[in-house]
Amino acid sequence: MDEINLRQKFLLILIIVTVSRNAISYSEDVAQSFRGLFTRHSNKRLSSIQADFVSNVSLDVCTGECVAAARFQCKSFSYDSIRRSCFLYAVNLNDPDVRLVDVEGRDHYETSYLKQFARLPSHEVRLMTSQSISSISPEECARRCILETRFKCRGFNYEHVVGQPVRCLLVESSPATGSQAAMTNEATDFYQKETEGAISSFINYGMGMLRPTITSEVYQRSVRGVTADGCAQRCLDETTFDCLSFDYVHEDDNRQNICHLSQYIAANVQGLVVDSVNPRHNHFERIERFLNYFYATPYAVIQGNNMKTFTKVTPNRCARLCMEEDAFVCRSFDYTVVPEATCLLSSKTSRDVGGLDTASGHVHHFEMKPLLDCGGNLTEPEGGFASPNWPRNYAHHENCVWNITTSRNKVIELRFTHLDLGLQSSDECSDEDDRLVVTDSGYRPYCVKPNTKMVTTKTNSVRLQFLSNAEVDAQGFRAFYRAEWTCNMLLKESPGEFASPKWPENYPSGSRCTWRITAPEGQRVHIVFTSFALEHHALGHCNEKLDHVRILDGGTVGSSLIGLYCGSRPSFAVVSSGQDVLVQFSSDNDPQASRPGFHAKFVFEAMNGSISDKDSRFINIGEGVEASKWQGTEEEDTRVVGSLSSSEDLLSARDESTSNGFRSAMWAVVTCLLLLVGALAVALFLVIRHYRRKINGEMEKSVDEVDSYPMESVPLQSIESSFRKNQFNNRVDLIGGAEAVAASCTITSRNEDAATTFEEEKLPSASTALMHPRPPPRLHRPQSSYGKYHEDNVKNINIEDKTQV
């Protein structure tokens, strides 16, 4: 009987323990989602007495206990990381006579329900309020809205009129529902609860609309009779243009809502304007990729704490610059729309400076959300991760694992912008230290050393584990990863592919890569270069001192040369004679000569040339399958904003890699044009030579005609007429011809008052001519080059007799 009771007790205890463990596990999973509702103060506790105490629990369970407390209103809690104890408080720092006290090993967490709301300063929603509470803080008002059960609270107006008690007005409507616009009110701030649906992908900048311009239409499409969420969905689904914002008009003169879609943001058109006729309109801008990591507070600013400035960038680009800043830990930024779309990075947040200042102009504040993920599986070609609670210090007892996997033919490049895991002991990877352990697939684990900037794996899969102890904490780490093409690798699996570093982006200068491809015995290697764009070499001959690809028919550097390749080429194939191929890529140290590089695929085939169906399908894939994944990855980064002068100034200045077929076609067109120009030059030369010969022949004919008459009997007008009849009036160069005439006559011209006069030389007297007859002077064939002869300037011809009889 005793044995049965013991067995029953043992089974009962076992069931209780199992259920308890499951309950704790469930609580940790659920509570982890609540950690974002609290703000951590390291090595601090409250000066007040706790309302409840829970022992031997994790931080996540302690968080859940505070949220789920029913016996009292839990406003904050402290957690002892050494003893794993949880202290719950019914007060917080907003209550009188409550302050923080320094204590080692304990962290204090204040509720931050306001993180669940988007604040819109100097705005209000003018509808009948469902509940009004006086003299409470915005944090308490946010808590009331979240926990409200009698109606669906969508936000609240927080009135702070000078000389009157503050008021919290809970509302059931918001601009997101489309039933009410947010109107300006200097004495009220509107807090909108995080929304669901398409509207959650946009930031509400309150009352205003895009500024009209003369040079371009700011709206690309308008729709009537849709809700604000429906308008947001249409913007997300738009395919004819890149929809980045929309203006929503609440009930125009026809009592219809109007949705205006646009490819521009406020920074493109120098801010927003208010329609004085119908002010019931709000402006929404799309939350692009990097803005998802920030809380937006329009019309607010941190004064005097900016550490770095950028101009002519979009808000999304500014967010990325903040995330990737490595000179300091960037926690927020202010974005000024006018006049130059300025981005101001800061290491401070509103909590650090005692709150935000309301901005009168188009200035908006963005604060980085705490990164709460503790591990995960990452399979995208690029991404990032950080220690929990980044950009603030991580908590104690963290055990996070990230698994990163990319395609088989690539490796993983890890770049650390920040790495601070506290003081480290002399022993590498000591259990006493906070550490980040890297396990490259198939290799021995190792710990990332302090001040590490770059880690490159040897395989396409890596595991990173972050462990923190119970004693001290630190800033943590921020890392970005990217799948990169292998360099200096042995490739033995078919089908496969390889490419120059960074492809399809430009390869770095000074690159040296070697790939040895080895097929099984009795097979050979078939390589197809799907893309090839290297530095162009003069005269079409490849120079090994410049950027080139060298392919050897064998596995050693002494193997016979298959070919040396450079410049830009269309797709081409290379087949080895044996089972090994050595591909060498080299780029010089000139960064200006950098090009996209090359991408190649390979398969193994039998010596008779047959390829398996699977491998043939792989080889015949269109150019650059991977390229399609990489195109436009920096589209948010490169868009530059400014004045609305042309569509190019406003649309994304996106990096679009030109296809190799297009490059080849361009080279062919240029070559054809050069040949055509050469042919035209030859034809022109032949025509000129023909006409010169013809002119020379006519000149000789004219000279013969003059020679047939005595010079004295030829009137000057006849000589001039003879020249005119033989096409000397066509502005042909005849200085050389004039030199021929100069043997018996001299042609002189003087330009006076835009008219040319000719002075006739004195001829011998008639008696002298009769007494001393002489033959007429002979005009000789011209010997010098032709000059310009303008008939407009020729009025007469003077003949000078230089022959003595």
Side-chain angles (χ1 to χ4, degrees):
M1 190 72 177
D2 293 337
E3 289 183 3
I4 295 176
N5 290 335
L6 288 174
R7 290 179 180 178
Q8 290 177 345
K9 290 180 180 179
F10 178 76
L11 290 174
L12 181 61
I13 293 173
L14 182 63
I15 293 173
I16 293 174
V17 170
T18 303
V19 171
S20 299
R21 286 180 178 177
N22 292 335
I24 291 174
S25 176
Y26 172 78
S27 298
E28 289 179 348
D29 293 339
V30 174
Q32 192 171 10
S33 62
F34 295 125
R35 194 186 290 192
L37 296 175
F38 294 86
T39 301
R40 177 174 180 255
H41 300 269
S42 180
N43 294 322
K44 304 287 184 180
R45 68 171 179 84
L46 278 189
S47 59
S48 179
I49 301 175
Q50 70 267 14
D52 199 359
F53 171 78
V54 184
S55 62
N56 196 27
V57 294
S58 67
L59 173 62
D60 290 325
V61 171
C62 185
T63 303
E65 290 287 344
C66 184
V67 173
R71 187 170 56 85
F72 64 97
Q73 178 185 339
C74 180
K75 294 183 178 181
S76 64
F77 69 91
S78 294
Y79 183 74
D80 191 326
S81 59
I82 299 176
R83 298 176 178 83
R84 299 175 64 86
S85 301
C86 176
F87 304 86
L88 306 181
Y89 295 91
V91 294
N92 58 18
L93 293 175
N94 293 322
D95 294 314
D97 301 326
V98 177
R99 67 185 188 279
L100 291 174
V101 179
D102 294 336
V103 58
E104 286 291 333
R106 186 182 297 187
D107 299 331
H108 182 68
Y109 291 82
E110 288 275 317
T111 58
S112 185
Y113 291 105
L114 281 176
K115 291 182 179 179
Q116 306 299 310
F117 292 80
R119 180 189 173 205
L120 190 58
S122 303
H123 282 75
E124 67 173 340
V125 172
R126 297 174 184 175
L127 278 181
M128 183 182 298
T129 58
S130 300
Q131 187 175 358
S132 176
I133 310 104
S134 300
S135 302
I136 63 174
S137 65
E139 174 68 22
E140 178 61 24
C141 190
R143 180 179 181 276
R144 294 284 187 98
C145 184
I146 289 176
L147 301 179
E148 182 59 55
T149 58
R150 291 170 296 174
F151 60 91
K152 188 172 184 177
C153 180
R154 299 183 183 273
F156 61 90
N157 293 320
Y158 192 77
E159 294 183 353
H160 44 84
V161 181
V162 178
Q164 299 182 13
V166 297
R167 283 202 310 163
C168 167
L169 308 172
L170 305 184
V171 297
E172 297 182 60
S173 181
S174 72
T177 62
S179 57
Q180 179 64 40
M183 312 291 287
T184 55
N185 186 340
E186 294 295 332
T188 304
D189 295 339
F190 178 67
Y191 292 81
Q192 180 174 296
K193 192 176 179 181
E194 285 189 348
T195 57
E196 298 178 354
I199 198 71
S200 62
S201 299
F202 292 81
I203 299 173
N204 183 5
Y205 285 93
M207 191 166 69
M209 60 191 303
L210 292 175
R211 185 183 300 275
T213 65
I214 300 175
T215 58
S216 179
E217 176 61 46
V218 294
Y219 299 129
Q220 281 65 54
R221 180 167 298 178
S222 297
V223 184
R224 289 180 177 271
V226 296
T227 63
D229 189 71
C231 186
Q233 188 63 55
R234 287 176 179 268
C235 186
L236 294 176
D237 295 340
E238 185 59 53
T239 57
T240 58
F241 62 93
D242 189 10
C243 184
L244 296 177
S245 71
F246 67 88
D247 290 339
Y248 190 77
V249 182
H250 296 260
E251 295 185 0
D252 63 352
D253 296 337
N254 298 323
R255 302 193 64 80
Q256 281 189 322
N257 298 331
I258 306 178
C259 166
H260 299 293
L261 306 182
S262 177
Q263 62 184 352
Y264 305 131
I265 59 177
N268 298 141
V269 295
Q270 294 292 299
L272 305 176
V273 294
V274 176
D275 188 354
S276 58
V277 178
N278 181 17
R280 296 169 58 84
H281 46 255
N282 287 166
H283 178 68
F284 295 80
E285 289 189 6
R286 191 169 181 173
I287 303 176
E288 297 184 81
R289 177 182 175 186
F290 296 101
L291 284 176
N292 277 306
Y293 297 95
F294 290 81
Y295 297 112
T297 306
Y299 311 106
V301 65
I302 289 182
Q303 296 285 0
N305 288 279
N306 302 311
M307 303 181 68
K308 189 173 286 189
T309 302
F310 301 90
T311 58
K312 294 185 178 180
V313 296
T314 63
N316 187 64
R317 174 63 174 168
C318 188
R320 178 167 187 171
L321 291 171
C322 183
M323 294 179 64
E324 297 182 352
E325 179 58 49
D326 57 3
F328 59 92
V329 178
C330 181
R331 297 185 174 92
S332 69
F333 67 88
D334 293 330
Y335 186 80
T336 305
V337 176
V338 291
E340 288 189 305
T342 306
C343 168
L344 308 167
L345 306 185
S346 176
S347 63
K348 305 294 185 181
T349 63
S350 58
R351 190 185 78 179
D352 300 321
V353 298
L356 298 174
D357 295 325
T358 301
S360 57
H362 297 283
V363 182
H364 312 306
H365 181 70
F366 296 82
E367 289 191 4
M368 189 179 296
K369 299 177 182 178
L371 301 181
L372 304 178
D373 292 338
C374 184
N377 295 318
L378 307 176
T379 57
E380 295 296 323
E382 61 178 345
F385 58 97
S387 52
N389 202 44
W390 180 269
R392 300 291 180 177
N393 287 18
Y394 54 81
H396 302 286
H397 303 294
E398 297 285 11
N399 186 355
C400 309
V401 176
W402 291 271
N403 293 300
I404 307 175
T405 305
T406 185
S407 60
R408 178 170 56 88
N409 301 284
K410 294 186 177 182
V411 295
I412 300 168
E413 184 181 272
L414 295 166
R415 179 172 61 89
F416 292 92
T417 57
H418 299 277
L419 180 61
D420 180 10
L421 302 182
L423 295 176
Q424 302 289 302
S425 62
S426 57
D427 297 335
E428 185 178 354
C429 252
S430 172
D431 292 341
E432 299 177 358
D433 299 333
D434 295 347
R435 57 200 182 277
L436 181 62
V437 185
V438 179
T439 305
D440 205 342
S441 180
Y443 291 85
R444 182 180 178 181
Y446 62 93
C447 288
V448 178
K449 297 180 180 180
N451 301 320
T452 298
K453 293 297 183 182
M454 191 77 68
V455 172
T456 302
T457 65
K458 295 179 175 61
T459 65
N460 66 323
S461 178
V462 66
R463 180 179 186 267
L464 295 101
Q465 183 178 18
F466 172 64
L467 299 165
S468 64
N469 57 30
E471 298 177 1
V472 295
D473 57 11
Q475 179 66 55
F477 64 89
R478 184 74 168 105
F480 296 90
Y481 76 90
R482 176 171 178 168
E484 288 289 355
W485 293 99
T486 59
C487 191
N488 302 321
M489 297 292 290
L490 174 63
L491 305 174
K492 302 176 67 174
E493 296 184 15
S494 174
E497 55 185 328
F498 60 97
S500 55
K502 307 294 184 182
W503 185 85
E505 298 177 8
N506 288 2
Y507 51 79
S509 58
S511 298
R512 300 289 186 274
C513 293
T514 300
W515 297 268
R516 180 182 174 182
I517 309 174
T518 302
E521 192 71 29
Q523 293 186 341
R524 61 184 181 182
V525 182
H526 185 119
I527 305 175
V528 174
F529 286 85
T530 62
S531 174
F532 199 94
L534 271 60
E535 177 185 6
H536 179 68
H537 294 198
L539 303 177
H541 299 294
C542 295
N543 187 344
E544 292 195 9
K545 294 182 179 180
L546 303 179
D547 304 351
H548 68 277
V549 171
R550 193 166 179 259
I551 303 179
L552 302 175
D553 194 9
T556 63
V557 293
S559 302
S560 60
L561 179 67
I562 294 179
L564 194 67
Y565 305 93
C566 61
S568 295
R569 300 169 58 95
S571 178
F572 66 98
V574 173
V575 181
S576 67
S577 62
Q579 69 180 112
D580 291 311
V581 166
L582 201 65
V583 181
Q584 297 175 325
F585 168 67
S586 176
S587 64
D588 57 27
N589 294 321
D590 182 9
Q592 301 297 327
S594 181
R595 298 291 187 273
F598 66 89
H599 171 260
K601 300 178 180 181
F602 68 89
V603 294
F604 301 151
E605 64 181 19
M607 289 300 182
N608 59 8
S610 61
I611 308 176
S612 66
D613 292 338
K614 179 188 71 172
D615 289 355
S616 64
R617 287 194 299 270
F618 177 81
I619 274 292
N620 291 328
I621 292 177
E623 294 186 11
V625 174
E626 293 294 330
S628 63
K629 298 180 181 178
W630 286 83
Q631 297 295 335
T633 56
E634 302 293 331
E635 64 179 354
E636 302 92 351
D637 307 341
T638 56
R639 188 167 63 247
V640 179
V641 296
S643 61
L644 185 59
S645 58
S646 65
S647 58
E648 289 80 10
D649 294 332
L650 303 176
L651 297 179
S652 305
R654 297 182 176 148
D655 295 332
E656 298 179 355
S657 300
T658 309
S659 65
N660 292 280
F662 178 74
R663 292 193 186 95
S664 301
M666 288 300 296
W667 277 112
V669 171
V670 171
T671 303
C672 291
L673 288 176
L674 291 175
L675 292 175
L676 181 60
V677 170
L680 290 175
V682 172
L684 183 60
F685 171 76
L686 294 175
V687 170
I688 292 174
R689 188 173 68 174
H690 170 74
Y691 279 100
R692 287 182 63 178
R693 289 178 176 176
K694 183 176 180 180
I695 291 172
N696 289 339
E698 291 176 351
M699 286 178 56
E700 292 177 356
K701 182 178 179 181
S702 300
V703 171
D704 293 339
E705 290 177 358
V706 174
D707 288 346
S708 63
Y709 298 98
M711 185 57 70
E712 290 82 348
S713 63
V714 179
L716 298 180
Q717 292 80 1
S718 299
I719 296 176
E720 182 180 357
S721 176
S722 176
F723 279 100
R724 290 181 180 274
K725 288 179 180 180
N726 289 285
Q727 299 182 355
F728 286 85
N729 58 333
N730 291 329
R731 299 186 180 182
V732 181
D733 295 341
L734 292 178
I735 290 178
E739 291 176 356
V741 179
S744 300
C745 60
T746 301
I747 303 175
T748 60
S749 64
R750 295 178 183 176
N751 190 350
E752 297 177 0
D753 299 330
T756 303
T757 61
F758 296 86
E759 297 180 356
E760 186 175 346
E761 292 291 334
K762 293 182 179 181
L763 296 176
S765 62
S767 59
T768 306
L770 293 174
M771 293 174 63
H772 303 281
R774 60 182 179 183
R778 179 82 176 172
L779 295 180
H780 299 283
R781 186 167 182 167
Q783 300 296 326
S784 60
S785 60
Y786 291 108
K788 290 187 177 180
Y789 177 86
H790 302 281
E791 73 160 317
D792 296 337
N793 294 331
V794 178
K795 300 302 181 182
N796 204 344
I797 297 178
N798 299 323
I799 301 175
E800 180 181 2
D801 185 10
K802 295 184 181 292
T803 305
Q804 299 297 328
V805 179

